[in-house]
Amino acid sequence: MSESAAKTTAGTAGAVLRRIGRYLRQHPFAVSLSALLVITGLSFGTLWGQHPAGLGVSPLVLGRERQWWTPLTALLVPNSWGGLLLAVLLALTLLAYAERLMGTLRVVIAFLVTGVLGVLLGVGIQSLAWSWGQVWARVDSRGVVFDPSIGILGAILAGSAYAPALYRRRIRLIGLSLLTTFTLYGGDADSVYRLLAALTGLLLGVILTSGTARPKVYRSSYGETRTLIAAIVAVTGLGPLIVLITGVGIGPLAPVVAGLRGVDISGITDACAQNNASAHCVAGVTTAVAAGTGVVLMSMVPLLLSLIAAWGLRSGRRAAWFLAIGVNAVMALLTGLSVVVRSLKEPTDVVEIDRQFPGFSVLAILVPVGICILLAITHRRFAVRASRRAVRQFALTIGIAFVALVTTNMILVMAVSHSPSFWSALLTTLRRFLPTIISHPGSHTPLTGIALVLHRDIGALFWLVFAIALLPLLRARSRRTADEAERFRTQLRETDGGTLGFLGTWEGNEHWFTRDGRGAVAYRVVNDIAIAVGDPVCTPGDAAQTVRGFLDFCDANAWTPVFYSTHEEFLPTFRDLGWRSISVAEETVVPLDRFELTGKVWTKVRQPYNRGQRDGLTTLWTTWEKMPAGLLAQLEALSEQWIAEKALPEMRFTLGGVDELRDPDVELLLAIGADGELQAVTSWMPVWREGELIGRTLDFMRRADGAMPGVMEFAIASAALHMKDQGLAVMSLSGAPLAQTVDGGSESDTIMRLLGWLGRVLEPAYGFASLLRYKGKFNPEYRPMHLFYADNGQLPAIGLAIGRAYLPDASPAEYLALARSLAG
């Protein structure tokens, strides 16, 4: 090995060791607990199935044997290799995160308090249920519980109170959903104790942070809402997997899966173990063989479709929304049918189930119904539609698969039936596509080989084809929309769309083009008002032709056209049409050849810039795709924290969010502290003219809590210097709606007074005027932006449409929050 290679290897090893050392110093309890669990598991033999007396906890151990210390020792000994792996993974990840947030002493207290209280509450509930004759309590109380994850999960939920809004929501919602699902389906003592410890941790976290100022309501961005809804749909779909794979199924919702499964495997096993030649054993084995793998696969269909729906919901897909609604509605229906069928076949079973779990039937139905209600409430978050071509391909695929499978199975049924009948064969075939709660799981058939497999598993095969066909549907975007968006971007590069032209590429806009392809307009239709955003995209000589063509296009569609946030250069074009105008905002533009950090006029920018350099702040000019994963996670958390602390709706239209940062043409300037923590982020949209990048426009701005004072000035100044070094000519800081430094020059003083009043009313809520004054630090040129319209009588409808464009998904509660903010 060469000397340079040896130095490189030594340097890498040194860096790894330093990281490990830093991790150990930051998380002493998480590391120590993990080591202790390995030692106790090996020492007491619990990893090999041994359960020494005096370590585990149960109602019998606490109540009859008076072993009062077991609620504590049960938290320090794993019960199996799987339990050890789960506990160590949780300890070294989420518990370590909680320790970093809370401090070592608090996390130790949280582990002990929530763990012990969770166990005691669980034992109390289990003992009470046992005294009432509940089968689940009597069966599970015979064993003892060793489960360190009880205390770990309690401490994690307690630590979530200290986390930023993004991680606080995810830890609580996803964690509690998982724990609740395990409890409702699995129903074992461990699951109950974990859930109770987590709820105790949630309460403890609230108590520990009671002196911290917190917003009354934490809001989520649209993207985060989709993520959380997708997680809930996925988690609630895991119930059948918990019962079918782990074999633990004594919870109140486990009978639903048993009904869907159709074959009582445990009963068959018990019968064969007691008497190898019993009639029950022979009949059970025959039924199980006839049912085959299709029964288990059919039981997994809800899980498969729920996971696919969750994947699509994360991207805001409307088709995934319909799928999730359909799956949960069918599950609610099948749950009801399960109870009805079991009551008709074995009435005593249903009575016993209701005795074991009071209100089981209602609870089992309410879970999927609750998901449907949640999806209905948030339906506006899932508006991305697939193309008609993708829908046709999906329908054609499943249609052909259904007809082919039905025809094949009917031929097989009629071939082996003693009295072939078309209708009976059709009925037998169609039942194969339904869960076994509706269709009989199977009967003996003389078919063998591939014919037997096809006949037996035809339903599972169809739903597999259905699931595969869904994937392209949930990825597809309208080809016309995608093609037009790419064409508009090309037009924007090759002609001139002004400093705000890139707004036209955002999701939600449609695009119109002149017949000769030399002009384009980005617009969106709200309440039959076609709102064109920004300037027409064309060369200056084609402006009049482009505007007139777009007006004709709107007239043909019975829309009212308006141009919003359009620059003053187009005023002559609209005056020739007899249109009116209102100045609705001012754009702040900084010519980069004049940007300097010297002189008195730049003092308010120079001082924070110099302080940032002294404090060790660094900058990273990057794109979303190239950003390191750690910084990406910090950016998302920073943005969610900013949104969560505002009780107001998130505005869209001309104000970008995290989704707009993902565009490969958008570049980001990150301000990073000396400790590697993200302090601020700004995003910069491209400004093209005739194929050349001439500048960039500021869109997205976020700063972290506790960041250096003046960090945004530092970030913007750093971006300006970077663009100046690149040879760009202009930096736009965008506009501020309803805020301007000069008289707007409207043709109607009444309208201007109205807009001035509206700007003053909205100022406490959104701070547009304050933002405009802030941008004045950078000594910009002020360029008025106008609303161009045809008739004053249209203004009320236009105003409502523009308001709806900014707040497309706002709920009544959000409008109420806005009204309260304005009134306050």
Side-chain angles (χ1 to χ4, degrees), residues 566-597:
T566 304
H567 285 99
E568 203 166 36
E569 295 85 66
F570 292 87
L571 188 59
T573 299
F574 288 100
R575 280 184 175 168
D576 290 344
L577 296 171
W579 276 35
R580 302 172 183 272
S581 69
I582 300 174
S583 179
V584 293
E586 282 186 334
E587 183 187 14
T588 47
V589 179
V590 180
L592 289 173
D593 60 351
R594 287 176 14 202
F595 182 84
E596 300 287 348
L597 291 178

mmCIF file of all heavy atoms in Angstrom, residues 566-597:
data_model
loop_
_atom_site.group_PDB
_atom_site.id
_atom_site.type_symbol
_atom_site.label_atom_id
_atom_site.label_comp_id
_atom_site.label_asym_id
_atom_site.label_seq_id
_atom_site.Cartn_x
_atom_site.Cartn_y
_atom_site.Cartn_z
ATOM 1 N N THR A 566 -48.717 41.259 -13.679
ATOM 2 C CA THR A 566 -48.121 41.528 -14.995
ATOM 3 C C THR A 566 -47.429 42.881 -14.952
ATOM 4 O O THR A 566 -47.958 43.842 -14.365
ATOM 5 C CB THR A 566 -49.212 41.517 -16.079
ATOM 6 O OG1 THR A 566 -49.904 40.270 -16.023
ATOM 7 C CG2 THR A 566 -48.611 41.698 -17.459
ATOM 8 N N HIS A 567 -46.260 42.959 -15.563
ATOM 9 C CA HIS A 567 -45.441 44.166 -15.447
ATOM 10 C C HIS A 567 -45.990 45.324 -16.278
ATOM 11 O O HIS A 567 -46.777 45.132 -17.210
ATOM 12 C CB HIS A 567 -43.999 43.860 -15.856
ATOM 13 C CG HIS A 567 -43.239 43.097 -14.818
ATOM 14 N ND1 HIS A 567 -43.056 41.735 -14.892
ATOM 15 C CD2 HIS A 567 -42.634 43.492 -13.658
ATOM 16 C CE1 HIS A 567 -42.349 41.316 -13.835
ATOM 17 N NE2 HIS A 567 -42.077 42.372 -13.081
ATOM 18 N N GLU A 568 -45.511 46.510 -15.928
ATOM 19 C CA GLU A 568 -46.022 47.745 -16.505
ATOM 20 C C GLU A 568 -45.700 47.872 -17.993
ATOM 21 O O GLU A 568 -46.365 48.637 -18.713
ATOM 22 C CB GLU A 568 -45.426 48.933 -15.736
ATOM 23 C CG GLU A 568 -46.234 50.190 -15.838
ATOM 24 C CD GLU A 568 -45.808 51.208 -14.799
ATOM 25 O OE1 GLU A 568 -44.600 51.285 -14.500
ATOM 26 O OE2 GLU A 568 -46.679 51.923 -14.282
ATOM 27 N N GLU A 569 -44.703 47.115 -18.462
ATOM 28 C CA GLU A 569 -44.348 47.205 -19.887
ATOM 29 C C GLU A 569 -45.508 46.820 -20.812
ATOM 30 O O GLU A 569 -45.534 47.221 -21.978
ATOM 31 C CB GLU A 569 -43.149 46.305 -20.198
ATOM 32 C CG GLU A 569 -41.853 46.713 -19.521
ATOM 33 C CD GLU A 569 -41.742 46.163 -18.120
ATOM 34 O OE1 GLU A 569 -41.641 44.926 -17.974
ATOM 35 O OE2 GLU A 569 -41.780 46.967 -17.165
ATOM 36 N N PHE A 570 -46.463 46.074 -20.288
ATOM 37 C CA PHE A 570 -47.586 45.629 -21.113
ATOM 38 C C PHE A 570 -48.790 46.555 -21.014
ATOM 39 O O PHE A 570 -49.842 46.257 -21.592
ATOM 40 C CB PHE A 570 -47.989 44.202 -20.697
ATOM 41 C CG PHE A 570 -46.956 43.171 -21.024
ATOM 42 C CD1 PHE A 570 -45.933 42.895 -20.134
ATOM 43 C CD2 PHE A 570 -46.979 42.491 -22.241
ATOM 44 C CE1 PHE A 570 -44.960 41.953 -20.433
ATOM 45 C CE2 PHE A 570 -46.007 41.556 -22.554
ATOM 46 C CZ PHE A 570 -44.996 41.283 -21.651
ATOM 47 N N LEU A 571 -48.639 47.663 -20.293
ATOM 48 C CA LEU A 571 -49.743 48.595 -20.141
ATOM 49 C C LEU A 571 -50.262 49.121 -21.484
ATOM 50 O O LEU A 571 -51.481 49.163 -21.707
ATOM 51 C CB LEU A 571 -49.303 49.753 -19.234
ATOM 52 C CG LEU A 571 -50.375 50.746 -18.809
ATOM 53 C CD1 LEU A 571 -51.492 50.047 -18.057
ATOM 54 C CD2 LEU A 571 -49.756 51.848 -17.936
ATOM 55 N N PRO A 572 -49.406 49.507 -22.442
ATOM 56 C CA PRO A 572 -49.928 49.981 -23.735
ATOM 57 C C PRO A 572 -50.759 48.922 -24.465
ATOM 58 O O PRO A 572 -51.760 49.258 -25.113
ATOM 59 C CB PRO A 572 -48.658 50.337 -24.521
ATOM 60 C CG PRO A 572 -47.635 50.615 -23.481
ATOM 61 C CD PRO A 572 -47.940 49.677 -22.361
ATOM 62 N N THR A 573 -50.344 47.668 -24.380
ATOM 63 C CA THR A 573 -51.082 46.594 -25.058
ATOM 64 C C THR A 573 -52.510 46.504 -24.534
ATOM 65 O O THR A 573 -53.471 46.384 -25.319
ATOM 66 C CB THR A 573 -50.368 45.246 -24.844
ATOM 67 O OG1 THR A 573 -49.053 45.318 -25.409
ATOM 68 C CG2 THR A 573 -51.150 44.120 -25.506
ATOM 69 N N PHE A 574 -52.681 46.576 -23.234
ATOM 70 C CA PHE A 574 -54.022 46.447 -22.653
ATOM 71 C C PHE A 574 -54.837 47.726 -22.815
ATOM 72 O O PHE A 574 -56.067 47.673 -22.931
ATOM 73 C CB PHE A 574 -53.907 46.053 -21.175
ATOM 74 C CG PHE A 574 -53.463 44.632 -20.984
ATOM 75 C CD1 PHE A 574 -52.143 44.332 -20.685
ATOM 76 C CD2 PHE A 574 -54.364 43.582 -21.130
ATOM 77 C CE1 PHE A 574 -51.736 43.016 -20.520
ATOM 78 C CE2 PHE A 574 -53.958 42.258 -20.967
ATOM 79 C CZ PHE A 574 -52.635 41.978 -20.663
ATOM 80 N N ARG A 575 -54.171 48.861 -22.825
ATOM 81 C CA ARG A 575 -54.904 50.108 -23.072
ATOM 82 C C ARG A 575 -55.479 50.134 -24.478
ATOM 83 O O ARG A 575 -56.587 50.640 -24.704
ATOM 84 C CB ARG A 575 -53.978 51.299 -22.853
ATOM 85 C CG ARG A 575 -53.815 51.652 -21.379
ATOM 86 C CD ARG A 575 -52.968 52.893 -21.184
ATOM 87 N NE ARG A 575 -52.920 53.266 -19.775
ATOM 88 C CZ ARG A 575 -52.075 54.173 -19.290
ATOM 89 N NH1 ARG A 575 -51.203 54.776 -20.117
ATOM 90 N NH2 ARG A 575 -52.085 54.478 -18.003
ATOM 91 N N ASP A 576 -54.754 49.583 -25.424
ATOM 92 C CA ASP A 576 -55.273 49.508 -26.802
ATOM 93 C C ASP A 576 -56.532 48.651 -26.865
ATOM 94 O O ASP A 576 -57.362 48.831 -27.763
ATOM 95 C CB ASP A 576 -54.208 48.930 -27.732
ATOM 96 C CG ASP A 576 -53.052 49.893 -27.951
ATOM 97 O OD1 ASP A 576 -53.219 51.088 -27.646
ATOM 98 O OD2 ASP A 576 -51.967 49.437 -28.401
ATOM 99 N N LEU A 577 -56.672 47.718 -25.934
ATOM 100 C CA LEU A 577 -57.860 46.870 -25.889
ATOM 101 C C LEU A 577 -58.989 47.518 -25.104
ATOM 102 O O LEU A 577 -60.100 46.952 -25.033
ATOM 103 C CB LEU A 577 -57.508 45.524 -25.241
ATOM 104 C CG LEU A 577 -56.502 44.641 -25.982
ATOM 105 C CD1 LEU A 577 -56.104 43.457 -25.099
ATOM 106 C CD2 LEU A 577 -57.121 44.138 -27.288
ATOM 107 N N GLY A 578 -58.733 48.665 -24.495
ATOM 108 C CA GLY A 578 -59.740 49.325 -23.678
ATOM 109 C C GLY A 578 -59.854 48.738 -22.286
ATOM 110 O O GLY A 578 -60.857 48.954 -21.593
ATOM 111 N N TRP A 579 -58.826 48.001 -21.870
ATOM 112 C CA TRP A 579 -58.869 47.367 -20.548
ATOM 113 C C TRP A 579 -58.447 48.354 -19.465
ATOM 114 O O TRP A 579 -57.815 49.370 -19.715
ATOM 115 C CB TRP A 579 -57.958 46.146 -20.531
ATOM 116 C CG TRP A 579 -58.618 44.902 -21.085
ATOM 117 C CD1 TRP A 579 -59.521 44.849 -22.098
ATOM 118 C CD2 TRP A 579 -58.404 43.566 -20.641
ATOM 119 N NE1 TRP A 579 -59.903 43.551 -22.317
ATOM 120 C CE2 TRP A 579 -59.226 42.733 -21.437
ATOM 121 C CE3 TRP A 579 -57.616 42.980 -19.669
ATOM 122 C CZ2 TRP A 579 -59.271 41.344 -21.283
ATOM 123 C CZ3 TRP A 579 -57.650 41.606 -19.500
ATOM 124 C CH2 TRP A 579 -58.477 40.801 -20.295
ATOM 125 N N ARG A 580 -58.755 47.991 -18.227
ATOM 126 C CA ARG A 580 -58.394 48.771 -17.062
ATOM 127 C C ARG A 580 -57.263 48.071 -16.297
ATOM 128 O O ARG A 580 -56.998 46.893 -16.531
ATOM 129 C CB ARG A 580 -59.607 48.966 -16.151
ATOM 130 C CG ARG A 580 -60.769 49.654 -16.856
ATOM 131 C CD ARG A 580 -62.007 49.660 -15.987
ATOM 132 N NE ARG A 580 -63.130 50.257 -16.681
ATOM 133 C CZ ARG A 580 -63.416 51.558 -16.671
ATOM 134 N NH1 ARG A 580 -62.642 52.391 -15.979
ATOM 135 N NH2 ARG A 580 -64.446 52.026 -17.336
ATOM 136 N N SER A 581 -56.667 48.771 -15.354
ATOM 137 C CA SER A 581 -55.555 48.179 -14.602
ATOM 138 C C SER A 581 -55.556 48.674 -13.166
ATOM 139 O O SER A 581 -56.036 49.774 -12.872
ATOM 140 C CB SER A 581 -54.213 48.494 -15.256
ATOM 141 O OG SER A 581 -53.926 49.881 -15.131
ATOM 142 N N ILE A 582 -55.034 47.825 -12.307
ATOM 143 C CA ILE A 582 -54.814 48.170 -10.906
ATOM 144 C C ILE A 582 -53.412 47.701 -10.549
ATOM 145 O O ILE A 582 -53.026 46.572 -10.853
ATOM 146 C CB ILE A 582 -55.814 47.464 -9.967
ATOM 147 C CG1 ILE A 582 -57.248 47.849 -10.311
ATOM 148 C CG2 ILE A 582 -55.520 47.795 -8.508
ATOM 149 C CD1 ILE A 582 -58.274 47.078 -9.511
ATOM 150 N N SER A 583 -52.641 48.549 -9.878
ATOM 151 C CA SER A 583 -51.330 48.139 -9.390
ATOM 152 C C SER A 583 -51.541 47.347 -8.097
ATOM 153 O O SER A 583 -52.024 47.885 -7.102
ATOM 154 C CB SER A 583 -50.449 49.356 -9.126
ATOM 155 O OG SER A 583 -49.192 48.959 -8.637
ATOM 156 N N VAL A 584 -51.205 46.062 -8.135
ATOM 157 C CA VAL A 584 -51.504 45.167 -7.009
ATOM 158 C C VAL A 584 -50.267 44.811 -6.189
ATOM 159 O O VAL A 584 -50.390 44.203 -5.120
ATOM 160 C CB VAL A 584 -52.168 43.868 -7.504
ATOM 161 C CG1 VAL A 584 -53.546 44.155 -8.061
ATOM 162 C CG2 VAL A 584 -51.300 43.165 -8.541
ATOM 163 N N ALA A 585 -49.086 45.134 -6.684
ATOM 164 C CA ALA A 585 -47.863 44.786 -5.953
ATOM 165 C C ALA A 585 -46.691 45.519 -6.578
ATOM 166 O O ALA A 585 -46.818 46.139 -7.649
ATOM 167 C CB ALA A 585 -47.622 43.274 -5.979
ATOM 168 N N GLU A 586 -45.541 45.470 -5.909
ATOM 169 C CA GLU A 586 -44.303 45.989 -6.462
ATOM 170 C C GLU A 586 -43.224 44.930 -6.352
ATOM 171 O O GLU A 586 -43.038 44.330 -5.287
ATOM 172 C CB GLU A 586 -43.865 47.256 -5.726
ATOM 173 C CG GLU A 586 -44.641 48.487 -6.159
ATOM 174 C CD GLU A 586 -44.088 49.746 -5.531
ATOM 175 O OE1 GLU A 586 -43.479 49.662 -4.457
ATOM 176 O OE2 GLU A 586 -44.275 50.814 -6.104
ATOM 177 N N GLU A 587 -42.549 44.702 -7.451
ATOM 178 C CA GLU A 587 -41.427 43.773 -7.452
ATOM 179 C C GLU A 587 -40.155 44.542 -7.124
ATOM 180 O O GLU A 587 -39.942 45.657 -7.602
ATOM 181 C CB GLU A 587 -41.300 43.102 -8.815
ATOM 182 C CG GLU A 587 -40.182 42.065 -8.866
ATOM 183 C CD GLU A 587 -39.955 41.517 -10.261
ATOM 184 O OE1 GLU A 587 -40.467 42.121 -11.223
ATOM 185 O OE2 GLU A 587 -39.236 40.505 -10.379
ATOM 186 N N THR A 588 -39.312 43.926 -6.299
ATOM 187 C CA THR A 588 -38.035 44.539 -5.935
ATOM 188 C C THR A 588 -36.923 43.839 -6.703
ATOM 189 O O THR A 588 -36.696 42.644 -6.530
ATOM 190 C CB THR A 588 -37.798 44.419 -4.421
ATOM 191 O OG1 THR A 588 -38.074 43.081 -4.010
ATOM 192 C CG2 THR A 588 -38.717 45.352 -3.656
ATOM 193 N N VAL A 589 -36.234 44.596 -7.560
ATOM 194 C CA VAL A 589 -35.218 44.039 -8.455
ATOM 195 C C VAL A 589 -33.879 44.718 -8.173
ATOM 196 O O VAL A 589 -33.795 45.944 -8.099
ATOM 197 C CB VAL A 589 -35.615 44.237 -9.933
ATOM 198 C CG1 VAL A 589 -34.534 43.688 -10.851
ATOM 199 C CG2 VAL A 589 -36.951 43.556 -10.217
ATOM 200 N N VAL A 590 -32.843 43.908 -8.001
ATOM 201 C CA VAL A 590 -31.504 44.419 -7.706
ATOM 202 C C VAL A 590 -30.602 44.171 -8.911
ATOM 203 O O VAL A 590 -30.276 43.014 -9.209
ATOM 204 C CB VAL A 590 -30.907 43.730 -6.462
ATOM 205 C CG1 VAL A 590 -29.505 44.268 -6.172
ATOM 206 C CG2 VAL A 590 -31.816 43.896 -5.262
ATOM 207 N N PRO A 591 -30.190 45.229 -9.646
ATOM 208 C CA PRO A 591 -29.185 45.034 -10.700
ATOM 209 C C PRO A 591 -27.856 44.623 -10.061
ATOM 210 O O PRO A 591 -27.324 45.323 -9.216
ATOM 211 C CB PRO A 591 -29.091 46.411 -11.364
ATOM 212 C CG PRO A 591 -30.356 47.126 -10.967
ATOM 213 C CD PRO A 591 -30.690 46.606 -9.597
ATOM 214 N N LEU A 592 -27.348 43.477 -10.456
ATOM 215 C CA LEU A 592 -26.187 42.927 -9.762
ATOM 216 C C LEU A 592 -24.911 43.727 -10.006
ATOM 217 O O LEU A 592 -23.965 43.642 -9.209
ATOM 218 C CB LEU A 592 -25.982 41.467 -10.181
ATOM 219 C CG LEU A 592 -27.048 40.504 -9.639
ATOM 220 C CD1 LEU A 592 -26.880 39.115 -10.219
ATOM 221 C CD2 LEU A 592 -26.997 40.452 -8.114
ATOM 222 N N ASP A 593 -24.861 44.507 -11.075
ATOM 223 C CA ASP A 593 -23.665 45.322 -11.291
ATOM 224 C C ASP A 593 -23.570 46.451 -10.271
ATOM 225 O O ASP A 593 -22.519 47.055 -10.098
ATOM 226 C CB ASP A 593 -23.639 45.874 -12.720
ATOM 227 C CG ASP A 593 -24.852 46.741 -13.032
ATOM 228 O OD1 ASP A 593 -25.795 46.784 -12.200
ATOM 229 O OD2 ASP A 593 -24.881 47.367 -14.105
ATOM 230 N N ARG A 594 -24.698 46.717 -9.570
ATOM 231 C CA ARG A 594 -24.692 47.763 -8.544
ATOM 232 C C ARG A 594 -24.658 47.187 -7.129
ATOM 233 O O ARG A 594 -24.654 47.938 -6.160
ATOM 234 C CB ARG A 594 -25.959 48.624 -8.685
ATOM 235 C CG ARG A 594 -25.898 49.539 -9.890
ATOM 236 C CD ARG A 594 -27.161 50.332 -10.126
ATOM 237 N NE ARG A 594 -28.094 50.349 -9.002
ATOM 238 C CZ ARG A 594 -29.401 50.611 -9.156
ATOM 239 N NH1 ARG A 594 -29.899 50.830 -10.377
ATOM 240 N NH2 ARG A 594 -30.201 50.639 -8.103
ATOM 241 N N PHE A 595 -24.657 45.862 -7.029
ATOM 242 C CA PHE A 595 -24.681 45.256 -5.694
ATOM 243 C C PHE A 595 -23.275 45.304 -5.098
ATOM 244 O O PHE A 595 -22.331 44.718 -5.621
ATOM 245 C CB PHE A 595 -25.167 43.816 -5.758
ATOM 246 C CG PHE A 595 -25.253 43.163 -4.402
ATOM 247 C CD1 PHE A 595 -26.378 43.345 -3.610
ATOM 248 C CD2 PHE A 595 -24.212 42.390 -3.901
ATOM 249 C CE1 PHE A 595 -26.459 42.765 -2.357
ATOM 250 C CE2 PHE A 595 -24.279 41.802 -2.654
ATOM 251 C CZ PHE A 595 -25.417 42.002 -1.871
ATOM 252 N N GLU A 596 -23.157 46.011 -3.971
ATOM 253 C CA GLU A 596 -21.889 46.115 -3.262
ATOM 254 C C GLU A 596 -22.170 46.029 -1.764
ATOM 255 O O GLU A 596 -23.282 46.281 -1.313
ATOM 256 C CB GLU A 596 -21.190 47.452 -3.575
ATOM 257 C CG GLU A 596 -20.866 47.666 -5.039
ATOM 258 C CD GLU A 596 -19.715 46.798 -5.520
ATOM 259 O OE1 GLU A 596 -19.037 46.210 -4.646
ATOM 260 O OE2 GLU A 596 -19.502 46.719 -6.731
ATOM 261 N N LEU A 597 -21.157 45.703 -1.007
ATOM 262 C CA LEU A 597 -21.297 45.692 0.446
ATOM 263 C C LEU A 597 -20.465 46.794 1.090
ATOM 264 O O LEU A 597 -20.066 46.703 2.246
ATOM 265 C CB LEU A 597 -20.884 44.320 1.002
ATOM 266 C CG LEU A 597 -21.827 43.162 0.654
ATOM 267 C CD1 LEU A 597 -21.304 41.852 1.220
ATOM 268 C CD2 LEU A 597 -23.238 43.430 1.155
#
